[in-house]
Amino acid sequence: ALYSSAILLRQDQMQYDKFWKELCGNEDSMACIEHLGKVVRMIGLDDKNYCRQHNRLRADTLPPALKAKYLSQASARRAAMYPLLLDLGRWYLPGRADFRNQINSLDQLYAQAAIANLLLNERLQVWAERTGGKVMVVGGENRFVKWTDAKQDPMILQKVEWTAMKRHGRAFEKLLRSYRNNPCCLLDVCRNCLVFEDMTSLTNALGIIVTDESVRVERLKNRMSSDYHSKETGGYRDVCINLKMCGKAAELLGAELHMCEFQLILEDFALLRTSQGHGRYVQARNSRGT
């Protein structure tokens, strides 16, 4: 199965690796790749960081001293509490994850993801405007257009294809094949991306996202690194960020703990992703049973 999946992806991997080799052969591009690596190391959130989907911490289960402290501040928190749960004495702490209580309901995960997706889309537009990031459009001359241009042109704006949440069918596949039916391991039900013309813009975007108070970055996967083994993704590379939405809106809507995925993609890599290539990737994935 592993051999047959590798054969399916060989053609696509050769194209990705060819472009990566050209990128690394350019002195300026290589300097940007090294700078990105330094930025990722400075942030200190590598791909080994533990990430799962957790429920809020219940204040009524805390030790007496901590519970009393929380209740003394409850009046200020009531706006973020669901009234029925408050009447039942089940007080949850907004923004505080209970690491002993992982989400075990796919319905709950998708409900949170639907809210987080809207909030993330709002931040995407802000980041794209500040960094020159591009979004995908359907039926235009170019597959990717700068958001600053798209939002000013009604014809282009209606062709923008926003990233949809993960299909339920694929979520079931991952649960059965990779996660032992544990929904807390699904970190990309809510996902999105931005595309960039060059490494400088991509690195700048990473810095802006990490310092944005509207989100909390939990983990970084720097696939735009010479140390990354591209066979793991069939030659494809990007910078993958796991993050949570912050702020009152996320807390009031119960989505502030939901882990999302956000990808920063170099345009040349994005252009190599075709529907035919994706079809081969799905075949290879099914062959591996992942």
Side-chain angles (χ1 to χ4, degrees), residues 32-176:
C32 290
I33 290 170
E34 292 175 352
H35 177 64
L36 173 64
K38 291 179 182 177
V39 171
V40 171
R41 287 192 294 274
M42 181 179 66
I43 295 170
L45 298 171
D46 60 25
D47 60 0
K48 296 180 179 61
N49 275 27
Y50 173 84
C51 285
R52 291 290 186 272
Q53 305 282 13
H54 292 97
N55 287 301
R56 283 177 174 175
L57 181 66
R58 278 181 56 185
D60 55 297
T61 62
L62 294 174
L66 288 176
K67 181 179 177 181
K69 181 180 179 181
Y70 170 73
L71 291 177
S72 68
Q73 302 170 347
S75 59
R77 295 179 178 269
R78 282 180 182 271
M81 296 181 188
Y82 190 68
L84 178 59
L85 296 178
L86 188 63
D87 292 342
L88 293 173
R90 295 172 70 94
W91 302 305
Y92 290 87
L93 288 167
R96 291 280 302 277
D98 184 349
F99 294 107
R100 299 168 300 176
N101 187 5
Q102 297 176 336
I103 289 179
N104 57 20
S105 166
L106 194 61
D107 289 339
Q108 178 185 346
L109 201 62
Y110 267 86
Q112 291 180 342
I115 298 167
N117 191 52
L118 297 174
L119 299 174
L120 182 58
N121 194 271
E122 290 179 357
R123 297 316 301 167
L124 175 152
Q125 295 174 32
V126 173
W127 300 332
E129 189 161 358
R130 293 183 61 186
T131 62
K134 294 186 174 185
V135 293
M136 181 181 289
V137 294
V138 180
E141 293 182 5
N142 302 310
R143 285 179 59 192
F144 302 99
V145 176
K146 285 188 177 181
W147 170 243
T148 50
D149 296 332
K151 74 172 189 174
Q152 294 175 2
D153 188 328
M155 294 296 292
I156 298 178
L157 187 59
Q158 67 182 4
K159 295 178 181 178
V160 172
E161 184 175 10
W162 302 110
T163 305
M165 294 195 305
K166 180 179 287 296
R167 293 182 300 105
H168 286 79
R170 175 56 184 152
F172 291 139
E173 285 180 355
K174 292 187 76 172
L175 286 176
L176 291 171

Side-chain angles (χ1 to χ4, degrees), residues 56 77 80 94-95 119 245-256:
R56 283 177 174 175
R77 295 179 178 269
L119 299 174
M245 307 308 300
C246 301
K248 288 187 177 180
E251 286 191 358
L252 289 170
L253 294 169
E256 83 283 0

Side-chain angles (χ1 to χ4, degrees), residues 117-288:
N117 191 52
L118 297 174
L119 299 174
L120 182 58
N121 194 271
E122 290 179 357
R123 297 316 301 167
L124 175 152
Q125 295 174 32
V126 173
W127 300 332
E129 189 161 358
R130 293 183 61 186
T131 62
K134 294 186 174 185
V135 293
M136 181 181 289
V137 294
V138 180
E141 293 182 5
N142 302 310
R143 285 179 59 192
F144 302 99
V145 176
K146 285 188 177 181
W147 170 243
T148 50
D149 296 332
K151 74 172 189 174
Q152 294 175 2
D153 188 328
M155 294 296 292
I156 298 178
L157 187 59
Q158 67 182 4
K159 295 178 181 178
V160 172
E161 184 175 10
W162 302 110
T163 305
M165 294 195 305
K166 180 179 287 296
R167 293 182 300 105
H168 286 79
R170 175 56 184 152
F172 291 139
E173 285 180 355
K174 292 187 76 172
L175 286 176
L176 291 171
R177 295 174 178 178
S178 304
Y179 297 146
R180 298 182 180 180
N181 291 329
N182 195 346
C184 77
C185 298
L186 285 171
L187 306 180
D188 60 347
V189 176
C190 168
R191 70 268 180 92
N192 223 312
C193 68
L194 277 175
V195 175
F196 300 92
E197 292 180 346
D198 52 58
M199 289 294 299
T200 301
S201 301
L202 188 151
T203 305
N204 183 38
L206 176 60
I208 287 173
I209 292 171
V210 169
T211 56
D212 189 340
E213 294 183 353
S214 298
V215 299
R216 177 177 174 176
V217 175
E218 298 286 346
R219 183 170 67 180
L220 290 172
K221 294 182 180 179
N222 181 20
R223 299 178 180 130
M224 300 296 292
S225 167
S226 301
D227 297 329
Y228 177 72
H229 298 292
S230 65
K231 286 185 178 181
E232 296 179 23
T233 47
Y236 172 76
R237 294 172 182 265
D238 63 16
V239 176
C240 184
I241 306 170
N242 289 117
L243 53 80
K244 298 175 183 177
M245 307 308 300
C246 301
K248 288 187 177 180
E251 286 191 358
L252 289 170
L253 294 169
E256 83 283 0
L257 295 180
H258 186 80
M259 198 78 69
C260 311
E261 181 178 284
F262 197 83
Q263 297 176 347
L264 307 179
I265 309 171
L266 205 58
E267 186 170 11
D268 292 284
F269 274 107
L271 289 170
L272 289 173
R273 294 169 67 177
T274 63
S275 57
Q276 295 84 359
H278 181 69
R280 288 189 291 271
Y281 171 72
V282 171
Q283 281 184 276
R285 188 177 68 195
N286 290 338
S287 177
R288 295 193 304 268

